[in-house]
């Protein structure tokens, strides 16, 4: 669907376009109304026509999801989708779209997205084309540490104490089992088994809509006579080990801000960086990834980021996405520190946690986050991909480790798509960075040095901001498309 806007980007029009795209998707993988909630993100292609005040907006990729796998579930073969948060799903779906468009360009077909650049084998966006990222909720991590203005801003009732929640969370070790989805058929959606009902009820009250633990200061922590003590929305994303830690002080001093965090997970810790950190990374390296940097003359950035109706702070979003990267300098040609336009919509995602609670009826069971992640992108072949626990939704144990179990968004499948792009490119038109490679070996080996060197230089500059980077497997936390770190 293409939508015309006049004069400027309207955040509500962006949100409605994304929600309408979601409504048109099949039922498979969607949250159960009134019982399950999820997050939605989308990438939109923006086209500004010459000599016109209007722009065209088209959703080219859409994703839902709130889950990520733990350390032990990750795969060095790149055949598991480690991070299924909506923003990551939308970005990876956009990679599929970009590969398709580049495939058409190198094949000599009429292409409305890319045009040849000056350097051999390189491509750049057509004039007036840019990309916008929409997310129905503030990204998890640093962007979610938002000051509360009053008691009405708190996302949930106070709990007994912050410390007791943290201790209980540390003991959590849940087992996974499968449940039948609401629609017919024999597809099985892995989900988390329920523990003690009281603990689950407590957890549901202390979950923010981004899937993180969101625990305001308890009444017992407020100073006597002080009912307006400042506080912040809490994030369940944990500080990267070896770096600055959260002070855990009552009120606004609970969190450290501006630091790298890994996504929360049940049981075993995860290695996936928070969505705030990944958006900041894409704002320097671009969202195209390492492999597509071979073909693109310039990195691709989100010119605009739109957030749906939710707790939001413009200042905090700018800190999380831009300010933290402002010290990156002396970047190679084609890279820069992007400062996107930040907007918020007044429209809430119909399957947000807040809306799900409003629609909940007795007898539906406990409200929980949807275990499935949906990816849709504007490609000709298999545009829809539904996953759970890092694999295709509904797969059985018998097919694990085979192509049938792999998500189309996992690193291995995207690498195969890249190889198809290389094979479709005339050898005389290959980018110089690929011409020196032995293409027959490239088609059969995953662990080959196909990383774009300028991209890697920017990666090192970005990582140098983190004095504690040696404590973390940054390749696993990153979400670029470098086959040398296939676990990402």
């Amino acid at each position: 669907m293409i939508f015309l806007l006049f004069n400027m980007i309207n955040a509500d029009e962006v949100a409605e376009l994304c929600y309408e795209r979601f409504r048109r998707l099949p039922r498979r993988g969607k949250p159960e109304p009134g019982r399950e909630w999820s997050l939605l993100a989308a990438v939109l292609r923006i086209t500004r026509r010459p000599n016109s005040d209007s722009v065209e907006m088209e959703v080219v990729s859409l994703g839902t999801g709130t889950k990520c796998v733990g350390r032990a579930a990750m795969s060095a073969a790149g055949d598991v989708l480690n991070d299924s948060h909506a923003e990551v799903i939308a970005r990876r779906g956009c990679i599929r779209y970009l590969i398709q468009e580049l495939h058409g360009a190198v094949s000599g077909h009429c292409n409305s997205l890319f045009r040849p650049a000056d350097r051999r084998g390189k491509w750049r966006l057509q004039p007036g084309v840019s990309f916008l990222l929409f997310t129905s909720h503030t990204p998890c991590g640093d962007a979610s540490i938002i000051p509360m203005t009053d008691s009405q801003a708190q996302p949930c009732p106070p709990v007994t104490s912050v410390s007791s929640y943290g201790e209980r969370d540390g003991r959590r070790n849940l087992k996974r089992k499968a449940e039948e989805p609401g629609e017919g058929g024999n597809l099985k959606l892995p989900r988390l088994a329920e523990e003690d009902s009281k603990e689950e009820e407590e957890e549901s009250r202390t979950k923010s809509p981004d899937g993180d633990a969101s625990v305001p200061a308890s009444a017992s922590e407020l100073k006597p006579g002080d009912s307006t003590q400042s506080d912040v929305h809490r994030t369940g994303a944990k500080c990267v080990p070896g770096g600055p830690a959260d002070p855990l002080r009552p009120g606004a001093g609970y969190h450290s801000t501006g630091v790298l965090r890994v996504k929360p997970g049940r049981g075993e810790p995860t290695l996936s960086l928070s969505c705030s950190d990944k958006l900041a990374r894409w704002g320097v390296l671009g969202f195209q990834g390492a492999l597509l940097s071979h073909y693109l003359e310039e990195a691709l950035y989100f010119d605009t980021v739109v957030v749906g109706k939710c707790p939001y702070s413009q200042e905090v979003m700018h800190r999380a996405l831009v300010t933290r990267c402002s010290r990156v300098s002396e970047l190679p040609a084609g890279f820069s520190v992007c400062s996107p336009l930040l907007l918020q919509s007044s429209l809430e995602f119909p399957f947000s946690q807040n809306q799900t609670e409003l629609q909940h009826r007795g007898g539906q069971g406990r409200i929980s986050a949807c275990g499935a992640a949906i990816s849709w992108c504007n490609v000709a072949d298999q545009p829809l991909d539904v996953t759970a626990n890092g694999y295709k939704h509904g797969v059985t144990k018998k097919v694990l480790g085979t192509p049938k179990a792999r998500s189309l968004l996992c690193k291995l499948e995207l690498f195969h798509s890249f190889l198809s792009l290389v094979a479709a490119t005339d050898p005389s038109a290959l980018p110089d960075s690929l011409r020196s490679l032995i293409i027959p070996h490239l088609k059969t080996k995953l662990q080959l040095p196909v990383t774009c060197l300028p991209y890697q230089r920017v990666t090192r500059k970005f990582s140098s901001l983190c004095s504690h980077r040696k404590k973390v497997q940054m390749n696993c936390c990153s979400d670029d498309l470098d086959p040398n770190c296939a676990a990402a």
Side-chain angles (χ1 to χ4, degrees):
M1 177 185 290
I2 297 177
F3 200 90
L4 290 179
L5 290 177
F6 293 90
N7 298 325
M8 61 179 295
I9 300 295
N10 182 287
D12 283 352
E13 300 285 4
V14 170
E16 179 55 36
L17 190 60
C18 296
Y19 298 158
E20 171 58 26
R21 177 68 261 182
F22 176 80
R23 286 191 288 267
R24 293 165 56 196
L25 295 179
R27 177 71 188 90
R28 184 182 175 213
K30 287 185 177 180
E32 180 184 329
R35 193 183 74 83
E36 293 181 320
W37 58 272
S38 191
L39 305 179
L40 179 145
V43 176
L44 286 74
R45 170 179 165 172
I46 309 297
T47 306
R48 289 176 169 81
R49 296 303 183 190
N51 305 318
S52 174
D53 293 332
S54 67
V55 299
E56 292 181 359
M57 296 199 310
E58 178 186 7
V59 177
V60 297
S61 175
L62 180 145
T64 69
T66 65
K67 308 291 185 178
C68 58
V69 303
R71 185 197 309 257
M74 300 173 75
S75 170
D79 58 351
V80 175
L81 183 60
N82 298 328
D83 189 341
S84 295
H85 279 222
E87 295 93 330
V88 175
I89 295 289
R91 180 258 183 176
R92 283 181 168 254
C94 186
I95 297 294
R96 294 187 65 203
Y97 169 74
L98 294 175
I99 291 176
Q100 172 185 268
E101 295 301 300
L102 280 170
H103 202 289
V106 301
S107 300
H109 301 153
C110 180
N111 193 281
S112 62
L113 183 61
F114 293 109
R115 60 188 174 97
D118 295 333
R119 296 166 56 192
R120 178 174 57 184
K122 292 287 189 177
W123 300 83
R124 63 185 306 156
L125 292 177
Q126 295 280 7
V129 174
S130 62
F131 290 94
L132 177 151
L133 176 69
F134 171 80
T135 176
S136 64
H137 197 276
T138 48
C140 64
D142 198 58
S144 292
I145 306 175
I146 300 168
M148 294 181 182
T149 56
D150 51 48
S151 60
Q152 298 300 316
Q154 293 188 4
C156 58
V159 296
T160 304
S161 71
V162 173
S163 59
S164 65
Y165 177 84
E167 291 168 359
R168 188 186 70 251
D169 184 75
R171 296 196 306 268
R172 188 175 291 125
N173 183 19
L174 302 182
K175 297 180 180 179
R176 296 183 182 273
K177 68 178 182 178
E179 69 173 350
E180 296 292 338
E183 51 188 323
N186 56 5
L187 295 176
K188 293 185 177 181
L189 170 62
R191 70 174 178 88
L192 295 169
E194 294 185 4
E195 283 192 319
D196 182 82
S197 60
K198 292 183 179 179
E199 179 173 326
E200 293 295 341
E201 180 181 357
E202 175 94 347
E203 179 186 317
S204 68
R205 292 196 301 113
T206 58
K207 277 273 193 175
S208 72
D210 65 356
D212 297 339
S214 180
V215 190
S218 69
S220 64
E221 293 171 326
L222 296 178
K223 297 178 180 179
D226 183 4
S227 61
T228 60
Q229 179 176 338
S230 62
D231 199 0
V232 292
H233 291 270
R234 306 292 169 83
T235 177
K238 310 299 182 183
C239 294
V240 166
D246 285 322
L248 306 182
R249 293 192 296 267
Y254 188 86
H255 282 308
S256 295
T257 59
V259 301
L260 287 178
R261 296 176 178 273
V262 291
K263 289 184 169 73
R266 293 176 180 248
E268 187 187 37
T270 76
L271 290 180
S272 295
L273 284 177
S274 72
C275 289
S276 294
D277 298 330
K278 291 191 175 183
L279 263 67
R281 178 185 176 94
W282 303 338
V284 179
L285 281 77
F287 64 82
Q288 76 289 332
L291 295 182
L292 292 189
S293 294
H294 285 287
Y295 278 88
L296 300 179
E297 186 176 58
E298 297 177 341
L300 302 181
Y301 300 101
F302 295 120
D303 287 359
T304 307
V305 175
V306 178
V307 179
K309 184 180 180 180
C310 63
Y312 177 82
S313 166
Q314 186 94 350
E315 180 182 356
V316 170
M317 278 287 289
H318 192 270
R319 176 194 73 204
L321 272 58
V322 181
T323 306
R324 294 192 294 166
C325 302
S326 59
R327 290 184 289 131
V328 177
S329 59
E330 300 179 357
L331 297 173
F335 294 90
S336 63
V337 178
C338 177
S339 181
L341 174 65
L342 302 176
L343 300 173
Q344 186 185 26
S345 167
S346 63
L347 303 181
E348 188 172 10
F349 182 42
F351 287 93
S352 68
Q353 185 180 18
N354 179 59
Q355 288 297 311
T356 300
E357 290 173 349
L358 292 175
Q359 299 164 14
H360 184 68
R361 297 292 181 268
Q364 286 188 289
R366 182 178 61 88
I367 293 175
S368 62
C370 181
I374 302 173
S375 169
W376 175 89
C377 54
N378 187 16
V379 296
D381 186 28
Q382 301 184 71
L384 190 66
D385 186 65
V386 183
T387 58
N389 290 336
Y391 296 99
K392 273 191 177 297
H393 180 271
V395 300
T396 62
K397 290 184 178 180
K398 292 182 179 180
V399 299
L400 292 182
T402 71
K404 291 182 179 180
R406 294 201 295 255
S407 165
L408 297 173
L409 302 181
C410 74
K411 177 159 289 191
L412 184 57
E413 287 295 321
L414 291 176
F415 184 58
H416 288 164
S417 296
F418 174 77
L419 294 182
S420 176
L421 172 62
V422 173
T425 307
D426 188 280
S428 64
L430 280 172
D432 290 341
S433 56
L434 289 177
R435 292 174 65 83
S436 60
L437 297 175
I438 304 176
I439 301 303
H441 288 265
L442 178 64
K443 293 180 180 179
T444 57
K445 277 192 171 183
L446 180 63
Q447 301 293 340
L448 279 179
V450 294
T451 301
C452 185
L453 293 180
Y455 185 94
Q456 285 299 89
R457 286 199 292 270
V458 181
T459 300
R460 287 193 291 270
K461 284 181 175 291
F462 181 85
S463 298
S464 68
L465 290 176
C466 313
S467 60
H468 53 289
R469 62 192 182 279
K470 294 181 180 179
K471 299 290 185 178
V472 173
Q473 298 179 33
M474 292 296 292
N475 285 341
C476 293
C477 294
S478 69
D479 200 51
D480 59 41
L481 298 181
D482 178 359
N484 294 301
C485 44

